[in-house]
């Protein structure tokens, strides 16, 4: 890929315990290391999809590799990886899940945040060990940690989409 596409061949993360680590290639081994799980616990289709989108910039209302917003990214991910359609907005997605406690979350569950007030306005996809993939307005598609103070402060809900 060309260097101005926004796409990165590295695993982008702002998770606090990953700082200083270099994930120079985006392989299942690196995801397993970052997420602190065995490689066989990972869904290769999911991480291949994440690889394709890693670093794609945020664009409000976007749903392409030129720019994508959080709900657009989650919609495309769910369609490609799980063959499921979800509502378009993060708020509507939040209304279409079976809520779970954090300790019950599994790879592929949705995590919701409210950065702007009372209503849900951000969504990501849970991976493992409190990590989730989402679209950061500053860094694009990235893996973050629910326990890091910024995300913990605004976290509102999580769960599995109702089929």
């Amino acid at each position: 890929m060309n260097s101005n596409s926004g796409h990165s061949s590295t695993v982008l993360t702002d998770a606090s315990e990953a700082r200083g680590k270099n994930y120079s290639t985006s392989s299942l081994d690196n995801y397993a290391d970052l997420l602190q799980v065995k490689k066989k616990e990972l869904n290769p289709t999911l991480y291949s999809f994440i690889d394709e989108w890693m670093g794609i910039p945020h664009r409000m209302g976007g749903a392409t590799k030129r720019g994508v917003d959080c709900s657009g990214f989650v919609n495309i991910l769910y369609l490609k990886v799980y063959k499921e359609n979800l509502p378009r907005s993060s708020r509507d997605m939040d209304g279409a899940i079976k809520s779970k406690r954090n300790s019950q979350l599994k790879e592929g569950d949705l995590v919701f945040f409210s950065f702007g007030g009372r209503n849900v306005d951000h969504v990501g996809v849970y991976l493992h060990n409190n990590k989730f993939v989402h679209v950061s307005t500053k860094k694009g598609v990235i893996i973050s940690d629910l326990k890091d103070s910024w995300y913990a402060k605004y976290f509102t809900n999580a769960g599995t989409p109702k089929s």
Side-chain angles (χ1 to χ4, degrees), residues 9-120:
S9 62
T10 60
V11 177
L12 298 178
T13 180
D14 61 2
S16 57
E17 80 276 2
R19 291 187 188 123
K21 284 191 177 182
N22 183 10
Y23 298 99
S24 58
T25 60
S26 44
S27 71
L28 270 181
D29 292 318
N30 279 333
Y31 287 111
D33 184 44
L34 171 65
L35 302 171
Q36 299 168 331
V37 295
K38 290 183 172 71
K39 194 164 126 178
K40 67 181 182 205
E41 293 179 50
L42 303 177
N43 173 344
T45 307
L46 173 61
Y47 295 92
S48 173
F49 178 87
I50 292 170
D51 260 359
E52 287 178 34
W53 286 80
M54 190 64 69
I56 297 296
H58 175 267
R59 178 179 287 160
M60 193 57 142
T64 71
K65 288 189 179 172
R66 288 180 47 219
V68 65
D69 66 14
C70 64
S71 55
F73 174 72
V74 170
N75 262 289
I76 297 163
L77 183 152
Y78 253 77
L79 198 55
K80 301 271 190 216
V81 176
Y82 300 109
K83 312 290 184 246
E84 285 184 45
N85 284 304
L86 295 176
R88 175 59 174 104
S89 77
S90 54
R91 191 174 310 150
D92 290 343
M93 286 180 199
D94 184 40
I97 63 161
K98 180 178 185 281
S99 290
K100 290 180 166 183
R101 290 191 301 278
N102 285 21
S103 61
Q104 300 171 306
L105 291 175
K106 303 250 182 288
E107 185 181 82
D109 284 341
L110 302 180
V111 290
F112 298 95
F113 303 85
S114 179
F115 294 122
R118 289 192 324 244
N119 295 321
V120 164

Side-chain angles (χ1 to χ4, degrees), residues 111-146:
V111 290
F112 298 95
F113 303 85
S114 179
F115 294 122
R118 289 192 324 244
N119 295 321
V120 164
D121 55 16
H122 190 67
V123 62
V125 175
Y126 188 81
L127 300 174
H128 289 271
N129 291 318
N130 298 305
K131 306 296 185 301
F132 65 104
V133 64
H134 67 120
V135 183
S136 155
T137 52
K138 290 189 173 82
K139 299 174 183 169
V141 176
I142 191 168
I143 294 172
S144 299
D145 193 318
L146 289 172

